[in-house]
Amino acid sequence: DMLALGGVVHIAGEVTQNVRAAGGEVVVSGIIGRNATIVGMNVTFTDEARVQGGVVIGGANVFLSSPVGKEARVAGRNFTLANTVAGDVEAAVENIGLTGKARIEGDFTYWSNKEAQIDEGAVVLGVQERRSPQQLTGRVGKIMEPATRWVKPILGILSFFTTLLFGLLFIRFFPGFSRTTVRTLQIAKWRSLTTG
């Protein structure tokens, strides 16, 4: 496996397992033996790159020009597909384009307010479906709803104990400041209440 984080990440060799990378600019021109999870401002998979498994990509500008052995899931602003994806393609993007070299061997589902720009020669073997971004956010909300019911009380309890702990530490390590603050509140109650 490979884990990478940097301003510019360039993967040019062979990684036999999974790749997880994040950076301002991520360029993949090597071979990835399994899956790739990439996050970056600009993400580029060149013609020389090969991904044996699937890809999950998040970025403002995503250019996928390498063959992908399984599915591709992309979230970002601009996404261009210019090679073969052996599985489904799911994309939540503003702009999406399939070049004449694009071939999707599974279903093609995308969430966007704009129609996909599909060049002549692009092939989608499965079902092609455009959905509104509101459908995606509604689905995410339904998935997260059960977890939210449990998380809110736990966060409230954690917030209480964190505040209590910081208060005790403050009193312990800054006793003079704490006494001065209490004395000011006792002497100038109305001024403290109205002007702080």
Side-chain angles (χ1 to χ4, degrees):
D1 288 350
M2 176 182 168
L3 299 172
L5 176 64
V8 177
V9 177
H10 186 187
I11 301 164
E14 181 177 355
V15 179
T16 58
Q17 297 293 317
N18 298 309
V19 169
R20 291 173 184 85
E25 183 169 351
V26 180
V27 178
V28 179
S29 60
I31 298 170
I32 299 174
R34 292 187 70 191
N35 303 311
T37 304
I38 310 286
V39 177
M41 183 63 74
N42 298 305
V43 178
T44 303
F45 283 75
T46 67
D47 296 342
E48 297 82 26
R50 300 285 179 271
V51 180
Q52 306 298 331
V55 294
V56 176
I57 306 169
N61 302 298
V62 178
F63 187 73
L64 184 55
S65 183
S66 67
V68 175
K70 292 185 180 175
E71 71 284 336
R73 291 184 173 86
V74 178
R77 183 179 299 144
N78 303 305
F79 172 44
T80 303
L81 178 63
N83 212 316
T84 300
V85 176
D88 296 338
V89 172
E90 295 182 349
V93 293
E94 185 177 336
N95 302 299
I96 186 166
L98 305 181
T99 70
K101 296 179 181 179
R103 179 181 173 90
I104 300 172
E105 296 180 352
D107 294 338
F108 174 40
T109 307
Y110 65 101
W111 290 264
S112 179
N113 289 324
K114 300 178 182 177
E115 287 287 334
Q117 301 296 315
I118 301 175
D119 293 348
E120 190 176 327
V123 176
V124 178
L125 297 179
V127 176
Q128 178 179 324
E129 184 179 5
R130 175 180 162 237
R131 299 178 182 173
S132 74
Q134 291 76 18
Q135 288 175 305
L136 181 64
T137 56
R139 195 167 98 183
V140 170
K142 285 180 184 176
I143 292 169
M144 295 302 291
E145 187 179 350
T148 307
R149 278 187 250 142
W150 292 99
V151 169
K152 283 183 180 178
I154 292 170
L155 289 177
I157 292 168
L158 284 174
S159 175
F160 171 78
F161 283 110
T162 303
T163 304
L164 181 65
L165 177 66
F166 279 126
L168 292 173
L169 290 173
F170 204 82
I171 290 170
R172 170 72 173 102
F173 292 108
F174 302 103
F177 182 78
S178 300
R179 282 192 290 272
T180 304
T181 303
V182 170
R183 196 172 316 116
T184 301
L185 288 171
Q186 289 172 339
I187 294 171
K189 294 175 189 169
W190 293 108
R191 188 178 57 156
S192 297
L193 178 66
T194 57
T195 62

